[in-house]
């Protein structure tokens, strides 16, 4: 998306820059969280093996960091349409059929994402009284990361359903295929 040409004017130009900003933000935060998780694990190993110190709280923080990193990464991948896709017949469809397929896929995805976000929200409410052993952090914060991820992708899927395919994203994917 970084090398795509922005539309000349109108709502598509605003959507282009908004989605590019969201993608860059999610990429940056996701990479920072992954780096923090790796540093946390390395620090725990060094503390345990070299200094004979136990850091049990690192075992509670690492899953939380990775859940949020995956959440930010999944939003970024959804904006770029880089999630794994099995494309058996789309390249043979006409322009109208491709548009309908794109919107139908986005609508079904939106429904799935909304359902998953709702489930994460329910789980965060149910687990609000359960806390981790070392840090006493509520398990709800784990589910908030899952909720954030699916809610973000649901919002983008709503936009994809309403807008349909955009030339500045399709041109980027055609270059990758060639």
């Amino acid at each position: 998306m970084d090398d795509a040409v922005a539309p000349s004017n109108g709502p598509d130009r605003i959507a282009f820059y908004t989605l590019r900003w969201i993608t860059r933000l999610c990429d940056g935060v996701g990479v920072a969280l992954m780096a923090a998780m790796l540093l946390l694990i390395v620090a725990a190993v060094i503390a345990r093996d070299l200094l004979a110190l136990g850091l049990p709280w690192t075992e509670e923080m690492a899953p939380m960091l990775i859940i949020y990193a995956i959440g930010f990464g999944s939003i970024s991948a959804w904006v770029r349409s880089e999630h794994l896709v099995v494309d058996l017949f789309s390249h043979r469809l006409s322009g109208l059929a491709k548009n309908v397929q794109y919107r139908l896929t986005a609508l079904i995805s939106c429904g799935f994402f909304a359902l998953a976000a709702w489930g994460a929200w329910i789980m965060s409410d149910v687990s609000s009284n359960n806390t981790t052993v070392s840090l006493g952090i509520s398990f709800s914060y784990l589910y908030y990361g899952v909720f954030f991820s699916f809610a973000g992708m649901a919002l983008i899927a709503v936009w994809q359903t309403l807008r349909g395919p955009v030339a500045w994203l399709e041109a980027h994917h055609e270059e990758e295929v060639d």
Side-chain angles (χ1 to χ4, degrees):
M1 186 163 175
D2 289 331
D3 54 347
V5 178
S8 59
N9 58 11
D12 275 350
R13 185 172 179 85
I14 295 168
F16 174 83
Y17 284 112
T18 302
L19 291 175
R20 189 165 79 175
W21 179 82
I22 289 170
T23 303
R24 287 181 176 172
L25 176 71
C26 288
D27 286 346
V29 172
V31 167
L33 290 170
M34 286 294 294
M37 191 237 1
L38 289 173
L39 287 173
L40 190 67
I41 291 172
V42 168
V45 169
I46 290 172
R48 183 185 65 232
D49 292 344
L50 296 179
L51 304 174
L53 294 173
L55 298 176
W57 58 271
T58 59
E59 293 179 19
E60 297 174 357
M61 285 302 296
M64 188 174 297
L65 291 174
I66 197 70
I67 286 171
Y68 279 89
I70 290 170
F72 280 103
S74 64
I75 292 171
S76 177
W78 187 254
V79 169
R80 292 182 176 137
S81 300
E82 291 180 347
H83 282 285
L84 183 61
V85 174
V86 177
D87 186 10
L88 298 176
F89 61 90
S90 296
H91 58 283
R92 296 181 184 176
L93 296 175
S94 68
L96 177 63
K98 271 187 184 179
N99 191 339
V100 169
Q101 180 201 18
Y102 179 88
R103 289 174 189 253
L104 184 62
T105 302
L107 182 64
I108 292 169
S109 298
C110 179
F112 169 75
F113 295 147
L115 184 63
W118 178 68
W121 186 259
I122 295 297
M123 286 303 297
S124 69
D125 187 44
V126 169
S127 65
S128 62
N129 293 327
N130 298 339
T131 59
T132 59
V133 176
S134 297
L135 295 175
I137 298 173
S138 173
F139 280 109
S140 293
Y141 292 110
L142 291 171
Y143 292 110
Y144 291 151
V146 176
F147 170 78
F148 170 75
S149 172
F150 282 118
M153 288 190 293
L155 288 174
I156 295 166
V158 166
W159 176 79
Q160 290 173 337
T161 302
L162 297 174
R163 174 57 178 92
V166 290
W168 39 270
L169 279 177
E170 285 185 7
H172 177 64
H173 291 296
E174 290 173 4
E175 292 172 4
E176 290 177 357
V177 172
D178 294 339

Coordinates of all heavy atoms in Angstrom, one line a residue, residues 40-41 43-45 55-63 134-135:
L40 N 11.6 -9.5 26.6 CA 11.0 -10.0 27.8 C 11.5 -11.5 28.0 O 11.9 -11.9 29.1 CB 9.5 -9.9 27.9 CG 8.8 -10.2 29.2 CD1 9.2 -9.1 30.2 CD2 7.3 -10.2 28.9
I41 N 11.3 -12.2 27.0 CA 11.7 -13.7 27.0 C 13.2 -13.8 27.2 O 13.7 -14.6 28.0 CB 11.2 -14.4 25.8 CG1 9.7 -14.5 25.9 CG2 11.8 -15.8 25.7 CD1 9.0 -15.1 24.6
A43 N 15.2 -11.6 28.6 CA 15.5 -11.2 29.9 C 15.2 -12.2 30.9 O 16.0 -12.5 31.9 CB 14.8 -9.9 30.2
A44 N 14.1 -12.9 30.7 CA 13.7 -14.0 31.7 C 14.7 -15.2 31.6 O 15.1 -15.7 32.6 CB 12.3 -14.5 31.3
V45 N 15.2 -15.5 30.4 CA 16.1 -16.6 30.3 C 17.5 -16.2 30.9 O 18.1 -17.0 31.6 CB 16.3 -17.0 28.8 CG1 17.5 -17.9 28.6 CG2 15.1 -17.6 28.3
L55 N 11.7 -14.8 37.2 CA 10.8 -13.7 36.8 C 9.5 -14.4 36.4 O 9.2 -14.4 35.2 CB 11.5 -12.9 35.7 CG 12.8 -12.2 36.0 CD1 13.3 -11.5 34.7 CD2 12.6 -11.2 37.1
P56 N 8.7 -14.8 37.3 CA 7.5 -15.5 36.9 C 6.5 -14.6 36.2 O 5.6 -15.1 35.4 CB 6.9 -16.0 38.2 CG 7.5 -15.1 39.2 CD 8.8 -14.7 38.7
W57 N 6.5 -13.3 36.4 CA 5.6 -12.4 35.7 C 5.8 -12.3 34.2 O 4.9 -12.0 33.5 CB 5.7 -11.0 36.3 CG 7.1 -10.4 36.3 CD1 8.1 -10.5 37.2 CD2 7.6 -9.6 35.2 NE1 9.2 -9.8 36.8 CE2 8.9 -9.2 35.6 CE3 7.0 -9.1 34.0 CZ2 9.7 -8.5 34.7 CZ3 7.8 -8.3 33.2 CH2 9.1 -8.0 33.6
T58 N 7.0 -12.7 33.7 CA 7.2 -12.7 32.3 C 6.4 -13.7 31.6 O 6.0 -13.5 30.4 CB 8.7 -13.0 32.0 OG1 9.1 -14.2 32.5 CG2 9.6 -11.9 32.5
E59 N 6.0 -14.8 32.3 CA 5.2 -15.8 31.6 C 3.7 -15.3 31.5 O 2.9 -15.9 30.8 CB 5.2 -17.1 32.5 CG 6.5 -17.8 32.4 CD 6.6 -19.1 33.3 OE1 5.5 -19.6 33.6 OE2 7.7 -19.5 33.6
E60 N 3.4 -14.3 32.3 CA 2.1 -13.7 32.2 C 2.0 -12.6 31.1 O 1.0 -12.3 30.5 CB 1.6 -13.2 33.5 CG 1.5 -14.3 34.5 CD 1.2 -13.8 35.9 OE1 1.1 -12.6 36.1 OE2 1.0 -14.6 36.8
M61 N 3.1 -11.9 31.0 CA 3.2 -10.7 30.1 C 3.4 -11.2 28.6 O 2.8 -10.5 27.7 CB 4.3 -9.8 30.5 CG 4.0 -8.9 31.7 SD 2.5 -8.0 31.5 CE 2.9 -6.9 30.2
A62 N 4.1 -12.2 28.4 CA 4.4 -12.6 27.0 C 3.2 -13.0 26.2 O 3.0 -12.5 25.1 CB 5.4 -13.8 27.0
P63 N 2.2 -13.8 26.8 CA 1.0 -14.0 26.0 C 0.2 -12.8 25.7 O -0.4 -12.6 24.6 CB 0.2 -15.0 26.9 CG 1.2 -15.6 27.8 CD 2.2 -14.6 28.0
S134 N 0.9 -13.8 39.3 CA 2.1 -12.9 39.7 C 1.7 -11.5 39.7 O 2.0 -10.7 40.7 CB 3.3 -13.2 38.8 OG 3.7 -14.5 38.9
L135 N 1.1 -11.0 38.7 CA 0.8 -9.6 38.5 C -0.6 -9.2 39.0 O -0.8 -8.0 39.2 CB 1.1 -9.1 37.1 CG 2.5 -9.2 36.6 CD1 2.6 -8.9 35.1 CD2 3.4 -8.3 37.4

